[in-house]
């Protein structure tokens, strides 16, 4: 799985979806997604990340789909910061 970054219509908020590895088990597995969210104050500066949470893959897919329906777009502008 890859990391995906979405940005809202106003280009003021972002959400980063990335695989979450459970390293507490002897064999690490990816069965969840970490969703980080933050604000963008200037396009040329690093976004300020406000927090993150871990969701099941299914819940993360639903949220990703909902955000796309609301007009959020996939972006790679901030890839160098993460």
């Amino acid at each position: 799985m890859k990391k995906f970054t979405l940005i809202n219509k106003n280009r003021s908020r972002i959400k980063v979806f990335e695989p979450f590895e459970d390293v507490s088990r002897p064999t690490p597995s990816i069965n969840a997604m970490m969703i980080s969210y933050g604000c963008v104050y200037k396009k040329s500066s690093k976004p300020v990340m406000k927090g993150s949470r871990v969701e099941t893959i299914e819940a993360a897919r639903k949220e990703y789909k909902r955000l796309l329906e609301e007009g959020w777009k996939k972006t790679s502008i901030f890839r160098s910061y993460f």
Side-chain angles (χ1 to χ4, degrees), residues 4 8 11 20 22 25 28-29 31 34 36 39-40 42 45 48 63-64 66 79:
F4 299 100
N8 70 345
R11 298 183 149 309
F20 181 77
D22 185 4
R25 296 184 181 160
S29 63
N31 59 356
M34 183 166 66
S36 305
C39 299
V40 178
K42 290 182 183 177
S45 65
V48 177
E63 182 173 351
Y64 187 86
R66 181 182 55 81
R79 186 169 289 163

Side-chain angles (χ1 to χ4, degrees), residues 15-75:
K15 286 198 178 190
V16 180
F17 293 77
E18 59 186 307
F20 181 77
E21 263 188 73
D22 185 4
V23 293
S24 64
R25 296 184 181 160
T27 55
S29 63
I30 299 172
N31 59 356
M33 296 289 286
M34 183 166 66
I35 303 171
S36 305
Y37 44 93
C39 299
V40 178
Y41 294 106
K42 290 182 183 177
K43 191 167 71 170
S44 61
S45 65
K46 183 176 180 178
V48 177
M49 300 311 287
K50 298 291 187 179
S52 63
R53 66 183 192 281
V54 177
E55 296 281 348
T56 64
I57 292 176
E58 190 59 37
R61 283 182 180 153
K62 286 179 183 177
E63 182 173 351
Y64 187 86
K65 183 180 177 183
R66 181 182 55 81
L67 290 172
L68 288 176
E69 289 171 355
E70 289 177 6
W72 289 57
K73 296 190 181 203
K74 193 173 171 183
T75 185

